Amino acid sequence: MSIKPESIWAPCPSTIRGQPTPISADPKGERLAYANNKSVFLRSIDNPAISTQYSGHTTATTVARFSPSGYYVASGDVSGTVRVWDCVGEGATKGEYHIIGGRINDLAWDGDSARIIAVGDGKEKYGHCITADSGNSVGEISGHSAQINSVSIRQQRPLRAMTGSDDTSLVFYHGAPFKFNTSIRKHQRFIYGVAFSPDGSSVVSVGADKQIFLYDGKTGEPKGEVGTGEHKGSIFGVSWSKNSRKFVTSSADQTVKIWDAEAGKAIETWRMGEEGRVSIPDHQVGVVWPQGRSDGLIISLNLCGDLTYLSEGSPSPRKVVHGQQKNITAIAASDTKDSAPTLFTGSSDGRICNWNISTGTADYLDGEGHTNYVSAMAAAPDNRIYSVGWDDSLRSIDASATVFTGHATSTDGQPKGVTATSNGLAVVATHKGVQTFNDGQKQKEVRFNNASPTAIAAKDDLIAVACDDGSLLILDPTSLDTKRKVDSLGSTGSTLSFSPTGEILAAGCSNGKISVFNTKTWEIAISRWSSHTARVTSISWNKDGTHAVSGGLDTNVFVWSVKKPGMRVGKANAHKDGVNGVAWVGDGTIVSVGGDAAVKVWRAEGLS
């Protein structure tokens, strides 16, 4: 018995309203690099379901850039640390360097892949230039009085660099070693982006004043303003084409524009969102024009993390890559016998995505969803998915049409879990008690006076409820009367799961142990599943009921055998910041989600 990683379905880039979000493409134009939570993801451009994850940072990451050689990535985080790591092999860290006493906003490589300038919001300084292999100082970034938002290095000799800051000034540097040459004040507000052209002849700057300026790449002398009044919102990103004749900008006015650098005019414009309607999620906060491609592809990033693929000369996007952006807190797979199951995930920002398991692509659901933390999801036999969230509501999803059905149903308290009975009733556990719903209408309710529910599961004529006093209550699904009370959990139950036949119930606890009960006698059948070292968050059974998979806050995923309770295989560090959900979605195929916002697919082998 073994468990092997099969694929990582990456989350979307982390974004912050009113701030630029850097995204980078490798020199061949094959992969994107971007930051999400505490990780950096390298994602295939042509097949977004293929990606790798770097989880060496201990704080939230902010930026990642490929080296010109394509062999390394430099990434920065909110603590002011820059890590340089191998992006071709196993992702080994080459160096870790503390640059400034605050957030790294941007960084840039020189043309030799030997030097890095990292800038941001420091306490004593706002940036520094180091060697990539040793971290030695090779220049001083000075001349600014506020945080630096962007930096770019000329890829040819003589080396030049430019930085743009919240103090509305640009600073031009000569190198190497890099030193202050001149300060340029053209912008009236914060400067969000600077970029040297690939041939080094020009450098462009954009900012919150909706203005674009061009400068000479060798001397820093201003060439003039481009496209006055074209953009109606702050310009967050800029990127050059490989021939250095055109560049692309992305703006809060929901547009992406291609510019002719020589003529100074916009030659193509895309507007995202509904025509004539202001949409904050469609603010375009980042853009990259991948080099090494011949199809004219441009990738733009909006505020909600969607990656829009645009082709030069085509008025409509080629495709839009969706996904989760925050900590994934809930998972469920549609209960269908006719076709492959559809995977649903919910996150801490209320977003629910449906995933095509065969292709690894995600989409959003139509209709009104949750506005807050999605605390639990469960599959019903009639091809419905129930979800509950901290907006104190129950929602129903048509798994076939991938759409929310009906209206939000209010729950009497904060939901702790949700499950479905064999006849399609939704059963919700709140901090006050248990409620049943049928088509959005409350059917029954029972309140617990001496304990608060922490987890819930249902199968046939049984509802199991774990409580914070360490007890396990067995309820009748029709009357919600307590049929039995079991006091042998030993700790607060955190997740419950019936086997497909309903003969056994696995109860995961906050102390990391899993107790398996015989549902006829309610005696403990298996007590040896105790390898987790922190709270067990999720348990799922394979269709034969012979094996179970569990995930916990200790970041581990374990596969257990019923026939051989002492046999188990695991994967440590499956998800950074803990595993929040696991699901068995096929013969030997396991999906897990966690605090890193990624969806990971595992292959369990040798289960017979």
Side-chain angles (χ1 to χ4, degrees), residues 103-125:
R103 186 181 195 270
I104 300 289
N105 288 332
D106 197 9
L107 49 84
W109 291 82
D110 73 345
D112 302 326
S113 299
R115 304 172 187 85
I116 297 170
I117 296 179
V119 298
D121 188 12
K123 292 181 174 64
E124 296 178 357
K125 58 184 179 180

mmCIF file of all heavy atoms in Angstrom, residues 103-125:
data_model
loop_
_atom_site.group_PDB
_atom_site.id
_atom_site.type_symbol
_atom_site.label_atom_id
_atom_site.label_comp_id
_atom_site.label_asym_id
_atom_site.label_seq_id
_atom_site.Cartn_x
_atom_site.Cartn_y
_atom_site.Cartn_z
ATOM 1 N N ARG A 103 7.747 44.417 4.048
ATOM 2 C CA ARG A 103 7.230 43.683 2.902
ATOM 3 C C ARG A 103 8.078 43.892 1.643
ATOM 4 O O ARG A 103 8.433 45.016 1.300
ATOM 5 C CB ARG A 103 5.792 44.154 2.636
ATOM 6 C CG ARG A 103 5.037 43.406 1.557
ATOM 7 C CD ARG A 103 3.642 44.019 1.399
ATOM 8 N NE ARG A 103 2.746 43.151 0.641
ATOM 9 C CZ ARG A 103 2.594 43.171 -0.663
ATOM 10 N NH1 ARG A 103 3.302 44.029 -1.397
ATOM 11 N NH2 ARG A 103 1.762 42.353 -1.268
ATOM 12 N N ILE A 104 8.401 42.792 0.945
ATOM 13 C CA ILE A 104 9.034 42.868 -0.375
ATOM 14 C C ILE A 104 7.922 43.087 -1.401
ATOM 15 O O ILE A 104 7.018 42.265 -1.536
ATOM 16 C CB ILE A 104 9.808 41.582 -0.715
ATOM 17 C CG1 ILE A 104 10.921 41.319 0.303
ATOM 18 C CG2 ILE A 104 10.375 41.662 -2.127
ATOM 19 C CD1 ILE A 104 12.087 42.257 0.230
ATOM 20 N N ASN A 105 7.962 44.209 -2.119
ATOM 21 C CA ASN A 105 6.934 44.506 -3.121
ATOM 22 C C ASN A 105 7.294 44.010 -4.512
ATOM 23 O O ASN A 105 6.410 43.647 -5.295
ATOM 24 C CB ASN A 105 6.670 46.010 -3.176
ATOM 25 C CG ASN A 105 5.922 46.517 -1.964
ATOM 26 O OD1 ASN A 105 5.168 45.772 -1.340
ATOM 27 N ND2 ASN A 105 6.122 47.776 -1.618
ATOM 28 N N ASP A 106 8.581 44.023 -4.828
ATOM 29 C CA ASP A 106 8.999 43.613 -6.168
ATOM 30 C C ASP A 106 10.479 43.266 -6.132
ATOM 31 O O ASP A 106 11.214 43.657 -5.207
ATOM 32 C CB ASP A 106 8.736 44.735 -7.180
ATOM 33 C CG ASP A 106 8.744 44.242 -8.625
ATOM 34 O OD1 ASP A 106 8.778 43.005 -8.837
ATOM 35 O OD2 ASP A 106 8.715 45.087 -9.545
ATOM 36 N N LEU A 107 10.916 42.534 -7.118
ATOM 37 C CA LEU A 107 12.349 42.258 -7.293
ATOM 38 C C LEU A 107 12.635 42.054 -8.770
ATOM 39 O O LEU A 107 11.736 41.819 -9.577
ATOM 40 C CB LEU A 107 12.801 41.056 -6.454
ATOM 41 C CG LEU A 107 12.010 39.755 -6.491
ATOM 42 C CD1 LEU A 107 12.420 38.904 -7.678
ATOM 43 C CD2 LEU A 107 12.256 38.964 -5.216
ATOM 44 N N ALA A 108 13.914 42.163 -9.113
ATOM 45 C CA ALA A 108 14.323 42.053 -10.515
ATOM 46 C C ALA A 108 15.696 41.410 -10.603
ATOM 47 O O ALA A 108 16.546 41.598 -9.717
ATOM 48 C CB ALA A 108 14.343 43.435 -11.175
ATOM 49 N N TRP A 109 15.909 40.643 -11.678
ATOM 50 C CA TRP A 109 17.196 40.007 -11.971
ATOM 51 C C TRP A 109 17.937 40.833 -13.023
ATOM 52 O O TRP A 109 17.321 41.461 -13.873
ATOM 53 C CB TRP A 109 16.984 38.616 -12.551
ATOM 54 C CG TRP A 109 16.446 37.572 -11.642
ATOM 55 C CD1 TRP A 109 15.134 37.366 -11.305
ATOM 56 C CD2 TRP A 109 17.190 36.537 -10.977
ATOM 57 N NE1 TRP A 109 15.015 36.279 -10.476
ATOM 58 C CE2 TRP A 109 16.266 35.744 -10.268
ATOM 59 C CE3 TRP A 109 18.542 36.208 -10.928
ATOM 60 C CZ2 TRP A 109 16.653 34.645 -9.504
ATOM 61 C CZ3 TRP A 109 18.931 35.112 -10.176
ATOM 62 C CH2 TRP A 109 18.000 34.338 -9.461
ATOM 63 N N ASP A 110 19.264 40.761 -12.973
ATOM 64 C CA ASP A 110 20.032 41.332 -14.084
ATOM 65 C C ASP A 110 20.152 40.289 -15.191
ATOM 66 O O ASP A 110 19.740 39.131 -15.037
ATOM 67 C CB ASP A 110 21.408 41.823 -13.619
ATOM 68 C CG ASP A 110 22.383 40.685 -13.325
ATOM 69 O OD1 ASP A 110 21.926 39.528 -13.203
ATOM 70 O OD2 ASP A 110 23.591 40.953 -13.198
ATOM 71 N N GLY A 111 20.697 40.708 -16.346
ATOM 72 C CA GLY A 111 20.740 39.833 -17.515
ATOM 73 C C GLY A 111 21.626 38.627 -17.362
ATOM 74 O O GLY A 111 21.479 37.646 -18.107
ATOM 75 N N ASP A 112 22.554 38.655 -16.401
ATOM 76 C CA ASP A 112 23.455 37.528 -16.182
ATOM 77 C C ASP A 112 22.899 36.520 -15.181
ATOM 78 O O ASP A 112 23.581 35.531 -14.867
ATOM 79 C CB ASP A 112 24.818 38.022 -15.674
ATOM 80 C CG ASP A 112 25.477 39.000 -16.632
ATOM 81 O OD1 ASP A 112 25.292 38.822 -17.857
ATOM 82 O OD2 ASP A 112 26.152 39.935 -16.154
ATOM 83 N N SER A 113 21.712 36.763 -14.650
ATOM 84 C CA SER A 113 21.114 35.943 -13.581
ATOM 85 C C SER A 113 22.039 35.874 -12.369
ATOM 86 O O SER A 113 22.073 34.870 -11.649
ATOM 87 C CB SER A 113 20.806 34.521 -14.081
ATOM 88 O OG SER A 113 19.888 34.556 -15.150
ATOM 89 N N ALA A 114 22.796 36.953 -12.155
ATOM 90 C CA ALA A 114 23.777 36.966 -11.064
ATOM 91 C C ALA A 114 23.401 37.922 -9.942
ATOM 92 O O ALA A 114 23.778 37.707 -8.788
ATOM 93 C CB ALA A 114 25.151 37.343 -11.604
ATOM 94 N N ARG A 115 22.656 38.997 -10.264
ATOM 95 C CA ARG A 115 22.320 40.012 -9.256
ATOM 96 C C ARG A 115 20.815 40.177 -9.157
ATOM 97 O O ARG A 115 20.086 40.012 -10.133
ATOM 98 C CB ARG A 115 22.971 41.351 -9.606
ATOM 99 C CG ARG A 115 24.478 41.284 -9.783
ATOM 100 C CD ARG A 115 25.021 42.601 -10.328
ATOM 101 N NE ARG A 115 26.432 42.511 -10.661
ATOM 102 C CZ ARG A 115 26.899 42.058 -11.827
ATOM 103 N NH1 ARG A 115 26.054 41.669 -12.768
ATOM 104 N NH2 ARG A 115 28.192 42.004 -12.049
ATOM 105 N N ILE A 116 20.379 40.535 -7.959
ATOM 106 C CA ILE A 116 18.955 40.756 -7.692
ATOM 107 C C ILE A 116 18.797 42.069 -6.946
ATOM 108 O O ILE A 116 19.541 42.347 -5.990
ATOM 109 C CB ILE A 116 18.356 39.614 -6.846
ATOM 110 C CG1 ILE A 116 18.427 38.285 -7.590
ATOM 111 C CG2 ILE A 116 16.905 39.921 -6.442
ATOM 112 C CD1 ILE A 116 18.085 37.091 -6.720
ATOM 113 N N ILE A 117 17.863 42.888 -7.393
ATOM 114 C CA ILE A 117 17.446 44.061 -6.614
ATOM 115 C C ILE A 117 16.064 43.753 -6.061
ATOM 116 O O ILE A 117 15.138 43.425 -6.803
ATOM 117 C CB ILE A 117 17.400 45.335 -7.465
ATOM 118 C CG1 ILE A 117 18.805 45.710 -7.968
ATOM 119 C CG2 ILE A 117 16.822 46.495 -6.658
ATOM 120 C CD1 ILE A 117 18.831 46.956 -8.833
ATOM 121 N N ALA A 118 15.927 43.834 -4.732
ATOM 122 C CA ALA A 118 14.643 43.627 -4.064
ATOM 123 C C ALA A 118 14.237 44.924 -3.385
ATOM 124 O O ALA A 118 15.060 45.587 -2.747
ATOM 125 C CB ALA A 118 14.743 42.501 -3.040
ATOM 126 N N VAL A 119 12.968 45.297 -3.544
ATOM 127 C CA VAL A 119 12.482 46.569 -2.999
ATOM 128 C C VAL A 119 11.156 46.335 -2.282
ATOM 129 O O VAL A 119 10.468 45.337 -2.496
ATOM 130 C CB VAL A 119 12.288 47.614 -4.120
ATOM 131 C CG1 VAL A 119 13.594 47.919 -4.813
ATOM 132 C CG2 VAL A 119 11.240 47.142 -5.132
ATOM 133 N N GLY A 120 10.812 47.302 -1.419
ATOM 134 C CA GLY A 120 9.552 47.171 -0.698
ATOM 135 C C GLY A 120 9.380 48.243 0.352
ATOM 136 O O GLY A 120 9.822 49.386 0.180
ATOM 137 N N ASP A 121 8.745 47.849 1.454
ATOM 138 C CA ASP A 121 8.396 48.788 2.518
ATOM 139 C C ASP A 121 9.216 48.469 3.753
ATOM 140 O O ASP A 121 8.746 47.816 4.693
ATOM 141 C CB ASP A 121 6.893 48.687 2.815
ATOM 142 C CG ASP A 121 6.414 49.775 3.770
ATOM 143 O OD1 ASP A 121 7.187 50.717 4.018
ATOM 144 O OD2 ASP A 121 5.273 49.671 4.259
ATOM 145 N N GLY A 122 10.462 48.930 3.768
ATOM 146 C CA GLY A 122 11.342 48.654 4.893
ATOM 147 C C GLY A 122 11.295 49.742 5.950
ATOM 148 O O GLY A 122 10.652 50.775 5.785
ATOM 149 N N LYS A 123 11.986 49.483 7.048
ATOM 150 C CA LYS A 123 12.022 50.471 8.131
ATOM 151 C C LYS A 123 13.215 51.411 7.995
ATOM 152 O O LYS A 123 13.098 52.614 8.183
ATOM 153 C CB LYS A 123 12.064 49.747 9.475
ATOM 154 C CG LYS A 123 10.765 48.996 9.798
ATOM 155 C CD LYS A 123 10.860 48.319 11.153
ATOM 156 C CE LYS A 123 9.520 47.701 11.549
ATOM 157 N NZ LYS A 123 9.103 46.616 10.656
ATOM 158 N N GLU A 124 14.391 50.855 7.686
ATOM 159 C CA GLU A 124 15.590 51.673 7.560
ATOM 160 C C GLU A 124 15.931 51.969 6.103
ATOM 161 O O GLU A 124 16.535 52.994 5.798
ATOM 162 C CB GLU A 124 16.772 50.976 8.231
ATOM 163 C CG GLU A 124 16.590 50.799 9.734
ATOM 164 C CD GLU A 124 17.756 50.072 10.355
ATOM 165 O OE1 GLU A 124 18.662 49.665 9.606
ATOM 166 O OE2 GLU A 124 17.765 49.918 11.586
ATOM 167 N N LYS A 125 15.595 51.070 5.222
ATOM 168 C CA LYS A 125 15.834 51.270 3.794
ATOM 169 C C LYS A 125 14.707 50.594 3.024
ATOM 170 O O LYS A 125 13.965 49.774 3.573
ATOM 171 C CB LYS A 125 17.194 50.689 3.377
ATOM 172 C CG LYS A 125 17.354 49.205 3.670
ATOM 173 C CD LYS A 125 18.749 48.716 3.314
ATOM 174 C CE LYS A 125 18.905 47.229 3.638
ATOM 175 N NZ LYS A 125 20.247 46.719 3.317
#
